[in-house]
Amino acid sequence: MSAAAWPDDPYGFDRIDRSWLEARPGAKWHRPADGVLAAWVADMDFPTADVITDSLHRFADAADFGYPDWNPGSPLRDAFCERMQTKFGWDPKPSYVRETCEVLQVIELSLMVATNPGDPVALFCPSYPPALNTLGQMNRPLVPIMLDRTSTGWALDTERFANDIASSGARAIVLLNPHNPTGHVFTRIELLAIAEAAERHDLLVISDEIHADIVFEGTHMPFAALNDTIVDRTVTTTSATKAFNIAGVRAAVVHVGSAKVRDGWNALPTHLMGVPSAMGVEASVAAWTLGDHWLDAVMVVLDRNRHLLADLIATKLPGVQYTVPAATYLAWLDCRALNLDEDPKQVFLDKGQVELSPGSDFGPGGVGHVRVNFATSESILVEIVDRMAAALRA
Ligand SMILES: Cc1ncc(COP(=O)(O)O)c(C=O)c1O
């Protein structure tokens, strides 16, 4: 990409061009057919931070690809603790922190050691499909906790939630905060209600905070930091991969507050969890320690885009409902009023040549919706909506 700098867009985010994107080997642009605009999986169209690519270049130049000397832990642990402290005011306990390969792996391994097949698990719906699928694959019946679209954003009805949990027999709650696909940033009151239910019914809380760096409205509060006791039943997991657009590096972090999960993991065969690659750790540490100037610039473009999308939808896609997300670069569009004969994702793909994520994959509350990834340039975002509008006219 030629990223000629100008004042409002120092990294050239609005200058990414289609041919550069289409030539990329990653799944987002490579998997869709030729000519299709990719706005599905949660990768951004922007090249990652220069400090990350520089650190990986230096790593490659040193050509030391042997086992890294991470005793007792990798530098990712320190970078995580430091970032949680400075950005979110939370002091993780260093001895509870370990590096892993993926966030989803943490969710699965936590459920594996702290619940049994057949134990119901609560998840806020509609939900990021892999989290939903995990419950199905692991035979943990879903307890869907519905988020509500209100006139001001998304919300959890805390009273209904308390009743749902009380009657569900749930043994654990998987919390995605900020939430995918709604972009909801759980408020302190909502988190306290979740903590209260967890204490009352002795539940494990697995808090996936991977989108915590991409918050436009409200404040991200690490669940484990809510009060002095909740950490003891919480597993917190995150990574630099969503905010810094490096999902392929496969490195994540977990803070295992729950003794049950810590003990369960200690009893597992040593290598089941695996460790991330040295390159993944290198990239993630660079992101968290040096990448904030880049992230600040990305946030400006994403903030512009989430509102631009509202304007575009209002003028070009009447009938589609969109609540501007408080976090993430994902837009959750309600297309039910369009009364389409087919899944809207299929209509937009077949007639508009745009690849979106189908709402039907997101479980309860998902049918009739699509998820649009708006982490792209202004001109591509406009074209995405133009093509969606053309699909509806066709
Ligand atoms: C809420 C959430 N959790 C987890 C992931 C994926 O994390 P990982 O690739 O580390 O498993 C994503 C990816 O989009 C996500 O949105």
Side-chain angles (χ1 to χ4, degrees):
M1 186 195 68
S2 66
W6 76 98
D8 292 338
D9 186 10
Y11 293 95
F13 294 138
D14 269 339
R15 293 198 177 180
I16 46 175
D17 62 51
R18 279 270 297 289
S19 52
W20 177 77
L21 288 168
E22 283 165 356
R24 296 179 95 182
K28 185 180 183 189
W29 282 88
H30 194 247
R31 197 168 298 169
D34 286 351
V36 170
L37 283 185
W40 58 298
V41 69
D43 282 330
M44 302 190 211
D45 283 347
F46 314 127
T48 192
D50 44 4
V51 290
I52 296 177
T53 44
D54 288 351
S55 78
L56 290 174
H57 281 305
R58 276 197 302 276
F59 190 94
D61 289 343
D64 183 358
F65 298 109
Y67 291 113
D69 187 14
W70 289 340
N71 206 354
S74 79
L76 190 52
R77 299 186 187 191
D78 293 340
F80 165 77
C81 291
E82 169 80 14
R83 191 164 185 87
M84 292 305 112
Q85 217 306 308
T86 52
K87 196 154 177 185
F88 304 115
W90 173 37
D91 273 318
K93 190 166 169 171
S95 61
Y96 289 176
V97 180
R98 60 190 283 179
E99 56 288 304
T100 69
C101 303
E102 312 177 10
V103 161
L104 282 158
Q105 173 192 34
V106 169
I107 297 176
E108 293 183 356
L109 283 169
S110 302
L111 289 175
M112 187 175 118
V113 300
T115 64
N116 293 306
D119 284 348
V121 173
L123 187 62
F124 298 87
C125 290
S127 171
Y128 172 58
L132 199 65
N133 298 341
T134 282
L135 303 193
Q137 285 166 357
M138 296 183 72
N139 185 19
R140 277 21 177 212
L142 168 69
V143 178
I145 306 293
M146 300 309 296
L147 291 175
D148 299 321
R149 195 193 287 272
T150 72
S151 55
T152 50
W154 289 86
L156 175 67
D157 180 332
T158 52
E159 210 168 302
R160 196 181 66 214
F161 163 75
N163 291 333
D164 286 350
I165 290 290
S167 61
S168 67
R171 300 309 313 135
I173 299 175
V174 177
L175 171 66
L176 313 179
N177 182 33
H179 184 251
N180 176 357
T182 62
H184 180 52
V185 178
F186 284 80
T187 64
R188 188 176 178 79
I189 289 173
E190 292 169 340
L191 294 175
L192 285 171
I194 297 168
E196 223 260 312
E199 302 275 11
R200 183 183 298 250
H201 302 288
D202 189 21
L203 310 182
L204 171 73
V205 179
I206 304 167
S207 189
D208 167 350
E209 304 183 4
I210 198 170
H211 291 286
D213 271 330
I214 317 160
V215 170
F216 310 100
E217 292 164 37
T219 305
H220 171 74
M221 268 169 268
F223 187 76
L226 263 192
N227 62 40
D228 290 343
T229 51
I230 199 65
V231 65
D232 298 338
R233 56 178 65 256
T234 302
V235 170
T236 306
T237 179
T238 190
S239 75
T241 60
K242 291 293 117 183
F244 292 91
N245 200 26
I246 50 172
V249 306
R250 306 281 78 200
V253 180
V254 58
H255 180 269
V256 200
S258 155
K260 193 171 182 181
V261 174
R262 279 199 309 278
D263 293 346
W265 285 2
N266 284 339
L268 289 177
T270 314
H271 297 100
L272 195 59
M273 187 152 217
V275 286
S277 76
M279 281 80 77
V281 167
E282 184 79 16
S284 304
V285 170
W288 276 345
T289 57
L290 304 169
D292 278 326
H293 64 289
W294 180 90
L295 182 59
D296 289 347
V298 164
M299 288 297 284
V300 171
V301 176
L302 298 179
D303 192 26
R304 189 269 322 267
N305 282 3
R306 75 191 175 114
H307 291 297
L308 172 63
L309 190 56
D311 295 342
L312 294 169
I313 288 172
T315 52
K316 300 181 183 192
L317 293 173
V320 171
Q321 271 200 45
Y322 165 57
T323 299
V324 175
T328 77
Y329 40 87
L330 307 166
W332 182 240
L333 307 191
D334 182 350
C335 304
R336 286 173 298 178
L338 300 174
N339 291 318
L340 300 170
D341 294 334
E342 273 183 284
D343 189 331
K345 174 239 151 81
Q346 210 55 47
V347 173
F348 293 127
L349 178 60
D350 293 345
K351 300 187 174 148
Q353 303 285 291
V354 190
E355 185 79 52
L356 307 174
S357 302
S360 50
D361 285 357
F362 289 70
V367 170
H369 293 69
V370 285
R371 195 192 69 179
V372 180
N373 178 339
F374 57 79
T376 191
S377 69
E378 177 173 358
S379 62
I380 292 177
L381 186 58
V382 169
E383 192 177 343
I384 288 169
V385 178
D386 281 345
R387 288 186 180 204
M388 291 171 72
L392 296 182
R393 285 193 303 272

